[in-house]
Amino acid sequence: MRVDAYDKVTGKALYGADRVLPGMAFAALALAKIGRGRVSGVDTSAALAVPGVLLVETKFDLAGPGFVMGGGFGFQSLQPMTDDHIAYRGQPIAIVVAETPVAATEAAEAITAEYEQEPFALHLDSEGATTLVQEEAIPLPFLADIKVGDADAVIDNSAVQIDATYEHPPQHAVPMELNGGVVQWQGDRLIVHEGTQNANALRFGLAQQLGIDPELIEVHSPYVGGGFGQKNSLLVHIGPLAVVSRRLGRPVKLVLARTQTFHNGSFRPASKQRIRLGADESGKILAVVHEVDQQTSRHDLFIAMHNETSSRLYGYSAFRGRQRLVQTDMQTPGYMRAPFESPSMFAIEQAVDELAYKVGRDPVDLRLANDTDTDPVTGLPFSSRHVADCLRRGAELFGWSGRNPEPGSMRAEDGSLVGWGVAIGNYPGSIVAANATLTASADGRVAVAVDGHEMGQGIRSAVALLVARDLGIPVADVTVQVGDTTVGTQHLTAGSWGTATALPAVHSGLQELRKHLNVADTGDVDVASAVADTGHAVQVSVGSLGPGQTADALAQTNTGHLAISGPVFPGFVTFSWIAHFVEVHVEPTTCRIRVPRVVSVADCGRVASPVTAASQVRGGVIWGIGAALREESMVDDRVGGFLNTTLEEYPVMVNADVHRIDVDFIDKPDYQFNPVGVKGLGEVSMVGAAAAVANAVHHATGRRHHRLPIRIEHVL
């Protein structure tokens, strides 16, 4: 069940930009139209002449927010409209506030500017792009290239070798809920309604930018409306919006146009991945070399962590990673769902598939033969790894035994070429320090306030189910508050750690609540009677840590910074796992590719909320199909920036593209990872899906595709 389903389908649930406040004005942005350079002048006269315009601003005295992955709070360190520098096309150069959104938009479009243009670089191989070795540019231990044994020597001496390069384009998350929100001042207090995955970063980031006490800022984000990583930190419009709201003395709403979100939020960066693989004649993988070039911006180094997953996929004895960052003239890329893991699996799981064909072994059987219970990097055991069970159950549900291994040998009734492909995926298990407050009332209800954000993944449902099962009370008697800095710190929810973080915190809170209610450690509780016996409502607050974390982690999250632990913990390593089985049909004349059915089986520990979990996997699979066949953010080599910035031109999967997706779970709790036994699911659900589609296309056509998306012209 989904506890907030009724509110969502009836429109009762309010997202960031849904607030309508008395006296509210409306803002719009004007954007730079060059790829790089300086603004030499901005003409706002036509904008100020538009009826209803209240204010036009081109410069702000705002401190930089700092890059979230560099100890700051912003999706990038660059705050537009603080100087004349243009780092990328689409960067804001002015903000307009008017009585209506129509007037604000008209005025923003009337703004013109003069520029001093400079050469820009948009591609990994563009002239002027700067390439840095990550471990040298950011000398932090967790970003060092992973090296185990002498992988190059092992491969050079292997009986069977695979050497291929795979290219992944930039992509955008295009969440349905646009970036934007509402700000208002109540005296010296700033209240922000924004769809964000990281309310605390907004709070502390705005405090830094505005030079005020964080205690004077409230951030409310009860529903994100789809984040997928793009809304994981402070965005560039919020600081200026707060300033103009204070100047006008009125609440102000800003909702970015769809085209503007392509340049004023993060995106999945372009990457190029070379896989070298060495194996014996049976297909036993002995060593892997995984070299990655990944796009970043000029002003920030968005870290690459592709090797974290590829190095743990199978039980090889030697591995060498190399990750390089290529600086281009774009906004800073970021964490679009499975940001590294999906491109990495597209590369390595195709290489493994090529190996299976080269040694004449069934692709499922070869993967099973390379399974391991031990982390190849650290030598520590996995806290749980049931990917072999995922493969076996998926093969049975899919009917894999009926597959003819010869490429191009299977046909549908309409003559279409039929291909069956398989791939596995993994995603690191992480937990962050979190706070939870539980309140038991005289009416028998329990209210829970916990660090987390509702992005559609069903965190409220997972928390409510945990409390209801633990206390033996109806789910309807549990209320859950997330995404609100007035009830908790609200650390970033991302990286598939939302449920794995919130549930252990709530679990600890339930143990403490039972003590204060003077009831047994386990079993059903008559909450109303227990509260009556105490004579007052009972409230408990707890701080929860990941394995190996100290109290310093809670101090980090309490000040708006990241406090992440994993996937390597004291004594064990944790990952979530999945296996995807995909059938494709390739129409014989047009070569159009359809995906009529998918079977996906996940190992995410205990399944906390079956309905929302199955929905997460289906959503991830759809993303994987889209990545394989449709999605690419195309850059404009003439003027910079992205070219296809609408849903008409950036094709995401729609109902007609999605057919049968069967989902199953191993559902074995991982109590070493946390006392509730849950692992992450939202992102691993996508990992490997694009690779399985690509492997199925190869099986259907006999052609291997090393670049995404796979379009009709590529098959032709």
Side-chain angles (χ1 to χ4, degrees), residues 341-381:
E341 297 79 11
S342 183
S344 296
M345 286 310 113
F346 166 68
I348 193 167
E349 276 296 272
Q350 276 213 88
V352 169
D353 218 58
E354 292 183 48
L355 173 65
Y357 280 95
K358 202 163 188 177
V359 300
R361 194 163 184 178
D362 178 82
V364 172
D365 182 52
L366 182 134
R367 287 170 169 83
L368 289 170
N370 283 284
D371 194 22
T372 179
D373 292 325
T374 303
D375 173 28
V377 177
T378 64
L380 295 171

Short mmCIF file of all heavy atoms in Angstrom, two decimals, residues 341-381:
data_model
loop_
_atom_site.label_atom_id
_atom_site.label_comp_id
_atom_site.label_asym_id
_atom_site.label_seq_id
_atom_site.Cartn_x
_atom_site.Cartn_y
_atom_site.Cartn_z
N GLU A 341 26.84 4.02 -12.33
CA GLU A 341 26.64 2.58 -12.36
C GLU A 341 25.96 2.11 -13.64
O GLU A 341 26.32 1.07 -14.20
CB GLU A 341 25.82 2.17 -11.14
CG GLU A 341 26.51 2.46 -9.81
CD GLU A 341 26.44 3.92 -9.36
OE1 GLU A 341 25.67 4.69 -9.99
OE2 GLU A 341 27.16 4.29 -8.42
N SER A 342 24.97 2.87 -14.12
CA SER A 342 24.29 2.45 -15.35
C SER A 342 25.23 2.50 -16.56
O SER A 342 25.31 1.53 -17.31
CB SER A 342 23.04 3.32 -15.58
OG SER A 342 22.34 2.88 -16.73
N PRO A 343 25.97 3.61 -16.79
CA PRO A 343 26.94 3.59 -17.89
C PRO A 343 28.00 2.51 -17.74
O PRO A 343 28.41 1.88 -18.73
CB PRO A 343 27.56 5.00 -17.83
CG PRO A 343 26.52 5.84 -17.18
CD PRO A 343 25.87 4.94 -16.17
N SER A 344 28.46 2.29 -16.50
CA SER A 344 29.49 1.27 -16.28
C SER A 344 28.99 -0.12 -16.62
O SER A 344 29.70 -0.92 -17.25
CB SER A 344 29.96 1.29 -14.83
OG SER A 344 30.59 2.51 -14.53
N MET A 345 27.75 -0.43 -16.22
CA MET A 345 27.20 -1.74 -16.53
C MET A 345 26.93 -1.89 -18.02
O MET A 345 27.07 -2.99 -18.57
CB MET A 345 25.91 -1.99 -15.75
CG MET A 345 26.08 -2.28 -14.29
SD MET A 345 27.29 -3.57 -13.90
CE MET A 345 28.52 -2.54 -13.07
N PHE A 346 26.53 -0.80 -18.70
CA PHE A 346 26.38 -0.87 -20.15
C PHE A 346 27.67 -1.33 -20.79
O PHE A 346 27.66 -2.14 -21.73
CB PHE A 346 25.99 0.51 -20.70
CG PHE A 346 26.13 0.62 -22.19
CD1 PHE A 346 25.31 -0.10 -23.04
CD2 PHE A 346 27.10 1.44 -22.75
CE1 PHE A 346 25.44 -0.01 -24.42
CE2 PHE A 346 27.25 1.54 -24.13
CZ PHE A 346 26.41 0.81 -24.97
N ALA A 347 28.81 -0.88 -20.25
CA ALA A 347 30.10 -1.26 -20.81
C ALA A 347 30.51 -2.67 -20.40
O ALA A 347 30.70 -3.56 -21.24
CB ALA A 347 31.16 -0.24 -20.38
N ILE A 348 30.63 -2.91 -19.10
CA ILE A 348 31.22 -4.17 -18.67
C ILE A 348 30.30 -5.36 -18.93
O ILE A 348 30.76 -6.46 -19.27
CB ILE A 348 31.65 -4.10 -17.19
CG1 ILE A 348 32.55 -5.31 -16.86
CG2 ILE A 348 30.46 -4.03 -16.26
CD1 ILE A 348 33.28 -5.17 -15.55
N GLU A 349 28.98 -5.17 -18.83
CA GLU A 349 28.09 -6.30 -19.06
C GLU A 349 27.95 -6.64 -20.54
O GLU A 349 27.58 -7.76 -20.89
CB GLU A 349 26.72 -6.04 -18.43
CG GLU A 349 26.66 -6.39 -16.96
CD GLU A 349 26.86 -7.88 -16.71
OE1 GLU A 349 25.88 -8.65 -16.73
OE2 GLU A 349 28.02 -8.28 -16.51
N GLN A 350 28.26 -5.71 -21.41
CA GLN A 350 28.38 -6.08 -22.83
C GLN A 350 29.67 -6.84 -23.08
O GLN A 350 29.70 -7.80 -23.85
CB GLN A 350 28.31 -4.83 -23.71
CG GLN A 350 26.91 -4.37 -24.02
CD GLN A 350 26.81 -3.75 -25.39
OE1 GLN A 350 26.58 -4.43 -26.39
NE2 GLN A 350 26.97 -2.45 -25.43
N ALA A 351 30.76 -6.41 -22.42
CA ALA A 351 32.03 -7.12 -22.57
C ALA A 351 31.91 -8.56 -22.06
O ALA A 351 32.43 -9.49 -22.68
CB ALA A 351 33.13 -6.38 -21.82
N VAL A 352 31.20 -8.74 -20.94
CA VAL A 352 31.00 -10.09 -20.41
C VAL A 352 30.15 -10.91 -21.39
O VAL A 352 30.40 -12.11 -21.59
CB VAL A 352 30.34 -10.02 -19.02
CG1 VAL A 352 29.87 -11.39 -18.55
CG2 VAL A 352 31.32 -9.42 -18.01
N ASP A 353 29.16 -10.28 -21.99
CA ASP A 353 28.35 -10.98 -22.98
C ASP A 353 29.18 -11.38 -24.20
O ASP A 353 29.04 -12.48 -24.74
CB ASP A 353 27.18 -10.08 -23.42
CG ASP A 353 25.90 -10.86 -23.65
OD1 ASP A 353 25.45 -11.53 -22.70
OD2 ASP A 353 25.36 -10.82 -24.76
N GLU A 354 30.06 -10.49 -24.64
CA GLU A 354 30.96 -10.82 -25.74
C GLU A 354 31.85 -12.01 -25.37
O GLU A 354 32.14 -12.88 -26.21
CB GLU A 354 31.81 -9.61 -26.11
CG GLU A 354 31.03 -8.47 -26.73
CD GLU A 354 31.92 -7.30 -27.16
OE1 GLU A 354 32.94 -7.58 -27.82
OE2 GLU A 354 31.59 -6.15 -26.85
N LEU A 355 32.29 -12.04 -24.12
CA LEU A 355 33.10 -13.16 -23.65
C LEU A 355 32.31 -14.47 -23.74
O LEU A 355 32.84 -15.50 -24.19
CB LEU A 355 33.56 -12.91 -22.22
CG LEU A 355 34.28 -14.08 -21.53
CD1 LEU A 355 35.60 -14.38 -22.22
CD2 LEU A 355 34.51 -13.76 -20.05
N ALA A 356 31.04 -14.44 -23.33
CA ALA A 356 30.22 -15.66 -23.39
C ALA A 356 30.14 -16.20 -24.80
O ALA A 356 30.26 -17.41 -25.03
CB ALA A 356 28.82 -15.36 -22.84
N TYR A 357 29.93 -15.32 -25.78
CA TYR A 357 29.87 -15.77 -27.17
C TYR A 357 31.23 -16.28 -27.63
O TYR A 357 31.32 -17.27 -28.38
CB TYR A 357 29.42 -14.62 -28.07
CG TYR A 357 27.92 -14.40 -28.06
CD1 TYR A 357 27.33 -13.47 -27.21
CD2 TYR A 357 27.08 -15.13 -28.90
CE1 TYR A 357 25.97 -13.27 -27.18
CE2 TYR A 357 25.71 -14.95 -28.89
CZ TYR A 357 25.16 -14.01 -28.03
OH TYR A 357 23.80 -13.82 -28.02
N LYS A 358 32.30 -15.63 -27.18
CA LYS A 358 33.63 -16.00 -27.64
C LYS A 358 34.04 -17.38 -27.15
O LYS A 358 34.73 -18.13 -27.86
CB LYS A 358 34.65 -14.95 -27.17
CG LYS A 358 35.93 -14.92 -27.99
CD LYS A 358 36.70 -13.63 -27.75
CE LYS A 358 37.88 -13.52 -28.70
NZ LYS A 358 38.61 -12.23 -28.54
N VAL A 359 33.62 -17.74 -25.93
CA VAL A 359 33.99 -19.06 -25.39
C VAL A 359 32.88 -20.08 -25.60
O VAL A 359 33.01 -21.24 -25.18
CB VAL A 359 34.36 -18.97 -23.90
CG1 VAL A 359 35.53 -18.02 -23.70
CG2 VAL A 359 33.16 -18.55 -23.05
N GLY A 360 31.77 -19.67 -26.22
CA GLY A 360 30.68 -20.60 -26.51
C GLY A 360 29.94 -21.07 -25.28
O GLY A 360 29.58 -22.25 -25.17
N ARG A 361 29.69 -20.14 -24.35
CA ARG A 361 29.03 -20.51 -23.10
C ARG A 361 27.76 -19.68 -22.93
O ARG A 361 27.71 -18.50 -23.30
CB ARG A 361 29.98 -20.28 -21.92
CG ARG A 361 29.53 -20.93 -20.63
CD ARG A 361 30.68 -21.01 -19.65
NE ARG A 361 30.29 -21.72 -18.44
CZ ARG A 361 31.11 -21.97 -17.43
NH1 ARG A 361 32.38 -21.55 -17.49
NH2 ARG A 361 30.69 -22.63 -16.36
N ASP A 362 26.73 -20.27 -22.36
CA ASP A 362 25.50 -19.56 -22.13
C ASP A 362 25.77 -18.34 -21.24
O ASP A 362 26.47 -18.43 -20.23
CB ASP A 362 24.48 -20.47 -21.43
CG ASP A 362 23.19 -19.73 -21.13
OD1 ASP A 362 22.35 -19.61 -22.03
OD2 ASP A 362 23.04 -19.28 -19.97
N PRO A 363 25.21 -17.15 -21.60
CA PRO A 363 25.50 -15.93 -20.83
C PRO A 363 25.10 -16.00 -19.36
O PRO A 363 25.77 -15.40 -18.52
CB PRO A 363 24.69 -14.86 -21.58
CG PRO A 363 24.57 -15.38 -22.98
CD PRO A 363 24.46 -16.87 -22.83
N VAL A 364 24.02 -16.71 -19.05
CA VAL A 364 23.63 -16.86 -17.65
C VAL A 364 24.60 -17.78 -16.93
O VAL A 364 25.09 -17.49 -15.83
CB VAL A 364 22.19 -17.39 -17.53
CG1 VAL A 364 21.86 -17.73 -16.07
CG2 VAL A 364 21.20 -16.36 -18.06
N ASP A 365 24.92 -18.90 -17.56
CA ASP A 365 25.83 -19.87 -16.96
C ASP A 365 27.20 -19.25 -16.72
O ASP A 365 27.83 -19.48 -15.67
CB ASP A 365 25.95 -21.09 -17.88
CG ASP A 365 26.85 -22.16 -17.31
OD1 ASP A 365 26.64 -22.56 -16.14
OD2 ASP A 365 27.79 -22.60 -18.01
N LEU A 366 27.68 -18.44 -17.66
CA LEU A 366 28.99 -17.80 -17.50
C LEU A 366 28.97 -16.84 -16.31
O LEU A 366 29.93 -16.80 -15.52
CB LEU A 366 29.38 -17.06 -18.77
CG LEU A 366 30.75 -16.39 -18.72
CD1 LEU A 366 31.54 -16.68 -19.99
CD2 LEU A 366 30.63 -14.88 -18.52
N ARG A 367 27.91 -16.10 -16.15
CA ARG A 367 27.83 -15.18 -15.02
C ARG A 367 27.78 -15.93 -13.70
O ARG A 367 28.42 -15.52 -12.72
CB ARG A 367 26.61 -14.26 -15.19
CG ARG A 367 26.80 -13.20 -16.28
CD ARG A 367 25.51 -12.46 -16.60
NE ARG A 367 25.75 -11.29 -17.44
CZ ARG A 367 25.88 -11.32 -18.77
NH1 ARG A 367 25.77 -12.50 -19.41
NH2 ARG A 367 26.12 -10.22 -19.46
N LEU A 368 27.04 -17.02 -13.65
CA LEU A 368 26.99 -17.83 -12.43
C LEU A 368 28.37 -18.39 -12.08
O LEU A 368 28.75 -18.46 -10.91
CB LEU A 368 25.98 -18.96 -12.59
CG LEU A 368 24.50 -18.55 -12.60
CD1 LEU A 368 23.63 -19.72 -13.02
CD2 LEU A 368 24.07 -18.02 -11.23
N ALA A 369 29.10 -18.77 -13.11
CA ALA A 369 30.42 -19.36 -12.88
C ALA A 369 31.42 -18.35 -12.34
O ALA A 369 32.45 -18.75 -11.77
CB ALA A 369 30.95 -19.96 -14.19
N ASN A 370 31.14 -17.07 -12.50
CA ASN A 370 32.07 -16.03 -12.03
C ASN A 370 31.59 -15.34 -10.76
O ASN A 370 32.09 -14.29 -10.38
CB ASN A 370 32.28 -15.00 -13.14
CG ASN A 370 33.23 -15.50 -14.22
OD1 ASN A 370 34.44 -15.53 -14.02
ND2 ASN A 370 32.66 -15.90 -15.35
N ASP A 371 30.61 -15.94 -10.08
CA ASP A 371 30.08 -15.36 -8.86
C ASP A 371 31.11 -15.48 -7.73
O ASP A 371 32.04 -16.28 -7.79
CB ASP A 371 28.78 -16.07 -8.48
CG ASP A 371 28.00 -15.33 -7.42
OD1 ASP A 371 28.20 -14.11 -7.28
OD2 ASP A 371 27.17 -15.97 -6.73
N THR A 372 30.93 -14.68 -6.68
CA THR A 372 31.83 -14.70 -5.53
C THR A 372 31.10 -14.21 -4.31
O THR A 372 30.15 -13.43 -4.40
CB THR A 372 33.06 -13.79 -5.78
OG1 THR A 372 33.91 -13.80 -4.63
CG2 THR A 372 32.64 -12.35 -6.06
N ASP A 373 31.53 -14.66 -3.14
CA ASP A 373 30.99 -14.17 -1.88
C ASP A 373 31.91 -13.14 -1.23
O ASP A 373 31.58 -12.57 -0.19
CB ASP A 373 30.78 -15.33 -0.90
CG ASP A 373 29.66 -16.27 -1.35
OD1 ASP A 373 28.68 -15.77 -1.93
OD2 ASP A 373 29.78 -17.48 -1.10
N THR A 374 33.07 -12.93 -1.84
CA THR A 374 34.09 -12.06 -1.25
C THR A 374 34.34 -10.86 -2.14
O THR A 374 34.44 -11.00 -3.37
CB THR A 374 35.41 -12.84 -1.07
OG1 THR A 374 35.16 -13.99 -0.26
CG2 THR A 374 36.46 -11.97 -0.39
N ASP A 375 34.45 -9.70 -1.55
CA ASP A 375 34.74 -8.48 -2.30
C ASP A 375 36.15 -8.56 -2.87
O ASP A 375 37.12 -8.66 -2.11
CB ASP A 375 34.61 -7.28 -1.36
CG ASP A 375 35.06 -5.98 -2.01
OD1 ASP A 375 34.97 -5.88 -3.24
OD2 ASP A 375 35.49 -5.07 -1.27
N PRO A 376 36.30 -8.51 -4.20
CA PRO A 376 37.63 -8.62 -4.79
C PRO A 376 38.57 -7.48 -4.41
O PRO A 376 39.79 -7.64 -4.49
CB PRO A 376 37.34 -8.60 -6.30
CG PRO A 376 35.91 -8.94 -6.45
CD PRO A 376 35.25 -8.42 -5.22
N VAL A 377 38.04 -6.34 -4.00
CA VAL A 377 38.87 -5.17 -3.73
C VAL A 377 39.46 -5.21 -2.33
O VAL A 377 40.66 -5.01 -2.13
CB VAL A 377 38.06 -3.87 -3.93
CG1 VAL A 377 38.90 -2.64 -3.59
CG2 VAL A 377 37.54 -3.78 -5.36
N THR A 378 38.63 -5.48 -1.33
CA THR A 378 39.08 -5.45 0.06
C THR A 378 39.38 -6.83 0.64
O THR A 378 40.05 -6.94 1.67
CB THR A 378 38.01 -4.79 0.95
OG1 THR A 378 36.83 -5.61 0.92
CG2 THR A 378 37.67 -3.39 0.45
N GLY A 379 38.85 -7.87 0.01
CA GLY A 379 38.97 -9.21 0.57
C GLY A 379 37.96 -9.48 1.66
O GLY A 379 37.92 -10.60 2.21
N LEU A 380 37.10 -8.51 1.98
CA LEU A 380 36.08 -8.69 3.00
C LEU A 380 34.88 -9.44 2.42
O LEU A 380 34.62 -9.37 1.22
CB LEU A 380 35.62 -7.33 3.54
CG LEU A 380 36.66 -6.49 4.28
CD1 LEU A 380 36.11 -5.09 4.55
CD2 LEU A 380 37.07 -7.17 5.58
N PRO A 381 34.11 -10.10 3.27
CA PRO A 381 32.89 -10.74 2.77
C PRO A 381 31.82 -9.69 2.46
O PRO A 381 31.77 -8.62 3.07
CB PRO A 381 32.46 -11.63 3.93
CG PRO A 381 33.02 -10.95 5.15
CD PRO A 381 34.32 -10.34 4.71
#
